[in-house]
Amino acid sequence: MSSELNIESPARINVADASKHAGELVEIRGWLYNLRKSGKIVFPIIRDGSGLMQCVAVKSNLPEPVFETLKNLTQESSFTIKGTVRAEPRAIGGYELDVADAQLVQRVSEEHPYPITPKDHGIEFLMDHRHLWLRSRRQHAAIRVRHEIVKGIRDYFDSHGFVLVDTPIFTPAACEGSTTLFEVDYFEDEKVYLTQSGQLYNEANAMAFGKVYCFGPTFRAEKSKTRRHLTEFWMVEPEIAFADLEEIKRVAEELILYLISRVLENRKEELKVLERDIAKLEAVHAPFPRMSYDEAVKLLQSRGSEIQWGGDFGNADETLLAQGFESPVIVDRYPAEIKAFYFQPDEQRPELALGVDIIAPDGYGEIVGGGQRIHDLALLEQRLVEHNLPREAFEWYLDIRRFGSVPHGGFGLGVERFVAWVCNLEHVRETIPYPRMLYRTRP
RNA sequence: UCCUCAGUAGCUCAACGGUAGAGCAUUCGGCUGUUAACCGAAGGGUUGUAGGUUCGAAUCCUACCUGAGGAGCCA
């Protein structure tokens, strides 16, 4: 379906760059987002991955086949289009294309029309069509915010003296001795699991490089079925030699503030598409509210929670705790009993662990968990016994305490929960392209 | 693993014991500025599955399947 007009090859542009080409003849390649017809004028909206742009095709100005091609486009049909860019405040994105020529690449057949229509759909249907759902505006916006946050994480650590030292995905033992691991049936003579944290390796790497981080997917075989859980999720974990709990808190706070400023700087359009209340993000500021576990329990009790000292916070408690604060809440010094074996005890009150969690506002829950690690060999050996962990598997980990042991610590930040909070999404499943959940492994 | 809720047209839903319906999508027709465009027409159904109650079941009962939300646990 090519035009009879002989239009010279114009510049191929992305819709996102339309403002730089006002008045110019350009070519755009993409897919049909939506089409409105009105007799002798049609308004195809093209989606090229970078944005949306309304095109205007007037029958009297175009060769018959070109107009017919555009008029008969079906949703998500692929095509290329040439025309002149013109500022148009009424149009989405502020620019329109006055069509001169168009060429069909592949027309979506009416026997199998594009399933995701501009009307409402249920979550099951959308998840079954996740590979197509990603073409939608909101999904597009969320994934771009995710990209900004991932890039922001790397930029932050790379510019603060950290070395990226990635940790293995296949690991021979539990990091925390729990039962939430995916077993891999492949390696001979040995059970191997998918990692749930790179932390133990991170500690070794911090002794090699000083300041390190790992960034990759992690896996939890928990039977969790909530809006905050994925079985496969991404986590960034920094670890710092010679750091104490206060430094860990400071770095986590600084990272969070930096990531939010990056998103506000570069992804405001996406936040608008997501209908995120931007003022609430702009209100996040240093210093974050800080409290001890003791104080958090008292605060929760005063707000009506049933929690008793010694118990861990449930989701309701986390939401209640964060209420009334503009910034995430930093809670530290938890009872050692409810924390993992490797936390350094508080010097004054050894029943407390120098662990820290950072709880996001609005019920998004724990976005950071970390703390200061045990650096004393004898104490760590004792903890392994107390937690019934197989010493042999941890010999290499004990080496870190044998060869120039120093105080150190780190934390993990869950990318999807963080993105969900920044985007104000109902569920973390929309923050990752292909979510893996308890009852969802396809597409 | 447990608790709660839901499965009706391709999609979103209505009908709640008495002839299964609407909007969107699709097809055909109309419209030169539409903004999830609009107007007219058409096609489209073993009501998740299997039993049961009843003269009669999408509707009531039982089991199962699938999905969603939550608890515990976690980022």
Side-chain angles (χ1 to χ4, degrees), chain A residues 96-397:
Chain A
E96 268 186 356
L97 193 77
D98 287 319
V99 178
D101 192 13
Q103 192 156 15
L104 186 67
V105 177
Q106 188 247 332
R107 185 167 183 277
V108 175
S109 81
E110 37 278 327
E111 284 78 31
H112 296 284
Y114 187 70
I116 302 177
T117 68
K119 289 275 179 177
D120 293 333
H121 298 283
I123 192 63
E124 183 184 1
F125 181 79
L126 290 170
M127 288 304 304
D128 286 344
H129 295 86
R130 182 62 175 168
H131 53 297
L132 303 175
W133 191 22
L134 288 168
R135 302 182 183 194
S136 304
R137 278 187 94 195
R138 281 181 60 86
Q139 301 311 306
H140 220 260
I143 295 302
R144 281 181 178 273
V145 171
R146 177 193 173 94
H147 179 194
E148 187 69 37
I149 285 168
V150 167
K151 188 150 193 311
I153 286 168
R154 293 203 182 279
D155 288 347
Y156 176 84
F157 288 119
D158 293 350
S159 62
H160 283 77
F162 287 76
V163 181
L164 174 70
V165 186
D166 280 319
T167 52
I169 298 218
F170 293 137
T171 56
C175 282
E176 312 189 2
S178 60
T179 56
T180 61
L181 292 162
F182 286 100
E183 202 175 309
V184 178
D185 179 24
Y186 171 74
F187 297 92
E188 287 177 26
D189 307 326
E190 191 173 25
K191 278 190 178 170
V192 163
Y193 308 88
L194 298 182
T195 181
Q196 60 171 3
S197 166
Q199 188 208 310
L200 302 192
Y201 295 95
N202 257 349
E203 291 184 49
N205 298 341
M207 300 308 139
F209 294 89
K211 290 159 70 169
V212 299
Y213 71 103
C214 65
F215 194 3
T218 47
F219 307 87
R220 304 272 167 99
E222 291 151 0
K223 299 289 183 194
S224 299
K225 203 172 135 37
T226 80
R227 68 185 67 197
R228 300 177 309 285
H229 286 90
L230 299 168
T231 53
E232 175 185 320
F233 67 97
W234 284 65
M235 186 159 67
V236 61
E237 295 175 276
E239 191 76 22
I240 306 170
F242 295 102
D244 61 7
L245 179 64
E246 290 309 306
E247 183 172 353
I248 296 307
K249 284 152 66 177
R250 188 183 56 71
V251 171
E253 179 186 60
E254 197 177 285
L255 172 67
I256 291 169
L257 286 165
Y258 174 72
L259 295 177
I260 288 176
S261 72
R262 277 279 296 253
V263 173
L264 285 171
E265 197 176 325
N266 299 326
R267 295 292 164 213
K268 264 216 171 106
E269 283 308 310
E270 283 78 4
L271 294 177
K272 281 179 196 159
V273 168
L274 293 161
E275 295 169 284
R276 214 292 175 213
D277 183 351
I278 290 168
K280 282 177 98 174
L281 277 186
E282 287 169 337
V284 175
H285 62 277
F288 292 174
R290 286 164 158 78
M291 64 183 81
S292 65
Y293 172 86
D294 290 358
E295 293 164 332
V297 168
K298 280 185 200 141
L299 179 63
L300 284 170
Q301 286 170 341
S302 77
R303 290 177 171 183
S305 170
E306 303 277 293
I307 193 165
Q308 297 297 312
W309 197 96
D312 211 347
F313 304 138
N315 182 249
D317 289 320
E318 288 180 349
T319 306
L320 196 60
L321 195 60
Q323 251 173 37
F325 296 109
E326 291 176 322
S327 304
V329 178
I330 301 180
V331 182
D332 66 2
R333 293 180 159 79
Y334 286 77
E337 277 195 10
I338 58 171
K339 285 287 174 189
F341 72 94
Y342 46 70
F343 280 107
Q344 175 73 14
D346 185 289
E347 217 171 320
Q348 261 72 53
R349 293 172 59 193
E351 75 276 18
L352 298 183
L354 295 183
V356 56
D357 286 351
I358 300 183
I359 297 161
D362 301 324
Y364 286 97
E366 189 186 331
I367 48 173
V368 162
Q372 190 178 327
R373 326 300 187 191
I374 291 173
H375 55 274
D376 180 73
L377 177 64
L379 178 56
L380 188 58
E381 285 174 322
Q382 185 191 323
R383 286 285 195 270
L384 288 177
V385 171
E386 286 166 7
H387 284 79
N388 266 324
L389 293 167
R391 184 192 165 109
E392 202 183 290
F394 288 91
E395 277 303 332
W396 70 271
Y397 185 63

Side-chain angles (χ1 to χ4, degrees), chain A residues 69 71-74 76-78 104-110:
Chain A
T69 294
K71 202 179 103 181
N72 293 318
L73 284 176
T74 43
E76 288 299 323
S77 287
S78 46
L104 186 67
V105 177
Q106 188 247 332
R107 185 167 183 277
V108 175
S109 81
E110 37 278 327

